[in-house]
Amino acid sequence: MNTKNYALWTSTIVAASLLLSGCQLLTGYQKIDEAESAEAWVGKIKPMAGEVNIACVGTYHCEIVQIDKTLIMAPNSHEPINPQIVTALPRQEDTAKIPMNMNMDMTPLVNKNAIKIVPLAASSMPGLTNYYARVMPAKREVHVNFYPENNMGYVERFAMIHDFTEAGTYQLRAYQKKNSEKSGSLLDTASPEPLCVELLQDTKVQRRFCKKLDAEHQGEFVETGMAKAATSVLKAKRATA
């Protein structure tokens, strides 16, 4: 089955990735205390020729926590684990007023495995920063944490495998799918609307995933219209292990 057609919401997917990553992630965790909060934000994505930019939007806060086997954000501090992958921006006394011609260290990526993250904007959750990632075109496994409420205790974990064959800007946009079939009863209106995530390339939707609330798919994001042929990232890893 094709791993492109399924995304799984569960903590076990993160655990599996940690086991596969081994010592590389352990080294990253040892650098958590070195990470510093972003002093400035770039405000908008700055495309680099030949590179893929990946951002997340749509909830109070979201963060790209892992790309392939590289863990990016510390789960407790919500700051970059390795400060060396953060694009350096000049410090500003007033971070709300960043000049568009500011001097950024946007050195091109050196190879296919290189990853850089750029402080994009202030989060809706005070004290946190939204980052976007820079990678080279390739097939990638991307893990994102979405926070639909102003509550760090409620997180939706989303993961997908996608072939980013073309350079450009991609967004993983979360939204709540409205169910037009609800009868309006008290029970129906109390039921939560499913969370969906769209992958946009520039402004065009390429893929769409929605969380299943039924008993068989509880807690899973399934690609719309492809549920029968879908397979989880976790199962794919087990099959190739």
Side-chain angles (χ1 to χ4, degrees):
M1 289 186 287
N2 187 352
T3 58
K4 279 187 62 178
N5 298 331
Y6 191 90
L8 177 65
W9 175 76
T10 176
S11 59
T12 56
I13 196 172
V14 178
S17 299
L18 293 175
L19 290 174
L20 287 173
S21 304
C23 296
Q24 180 181 1
L25 294 189
L26 178 61
T27 301
Y29 272 107
Q30 292 170 345
K31 294 184 178 180
I32 289 178
D33 292 337
E34 299 177 19
E36 297 181 357
S37 298
E39 295 285 342
W41 311 301
V42 68
K44 61 184 295 186
I45 294 175
K46 307 287 185 181
M48 295 287 291
E51 293 184 7
V52 168
N53 302 294
I54 306 174
C56 62
V57 294
T59 50
Y60 275 90
H61 181 68
C62 64
E63 51 197 19
I64 300 172
V65 294
Q66 181 176 330
I67 296 179
D68 298 331
K69 295 181 180 181
T70 301
L71 194 61
I72 294 173
M73 304 298 291
N76 296 324
S77 67
H78 305 280
E79 295 290 342
I81 284 179
N82 184 357
Q84 295 181 352
I85 71 170
V86 181
T87 297
L89 303 182
R91 298 192 175 200
Q92 300 287 327
E93 293 183 359
D94 182 359
T95 54
K97 299 177 181 179
I98 302 299
M100 298 306 295
N101 59 349
M102 67 189 303
N103 183 24
M104 297 182 298
D105 180 19
M106 298 293 277
T107 305
L109 299 175
V110 295
N111 56 53
K112 180 180 177 180
N113 297 320
I115 297 174
K116 284 283 189 179
I117 58 173
V118 184
L120 179 60
S123 169
S124 295
M125 290 187 175
L128 300 184
T129 298
N130 288 328
Y131 294 81
Y132 73 89
R134 297 168 50 205
V135 294
M136 297 297 290
K139 194 171 191 176
R140 304 284 182 183
E141 180 179 327
V142 181
H143 296 245
V144 180
N145 284 354
F146 289 100
Y147 297 85
E149 298 177 357
N150 193 10
N151 174 14
M152 295 305 296
Y154 171 32
V155 56
E156 297 277 5
R157 295 181 174 90
F158 173 83
M160 73 166 190
I161 292 175
H162 183 76
D163 197 352
F164 296 91
T165 56
E166 298 180 10
T169 298
Y170 295 79
Q171 287 187 337
L172 285 164
R173 181 177 65 188
Y175 66 97
Q176 202 170 40
K177 183 180 180 181
K178 299 299 181 182
N179 189 350
S180 59
E181 298 179 358
K182 282 191 174 182
S183 63
S185 68
L186 182 60
L187 180 62
D188 285 339
T189 54
S191 301
E193 302 282 2
L195 187 73
C196 296
V197 178
E198 290 180 336
L199 174 67
L200 288 81
Q201 181 179 1
D202 295 322
T203 58
K204 183 178 179 181
V205 176
Q206 298 292 329
R207 303 172 70 184
R208 180 180 291 110
F209 306 85
C210 287
K211 187 178 177 184
K212 296 306 235 184
L213 301 179
D214 56 74
E216 183 179 355
H217 298 98
Q218 184 66 38
E220 299 174 353
F221 281 96
V222 178
E223 187 155 8
T224 302
M226 301 181 183
K228 292 183 180 180
T231 183
S232 70
V233 174
L234 184 57
K235 288 181 180 178
K237 288 186 176 196
R238 286 177 176 170
T240 57

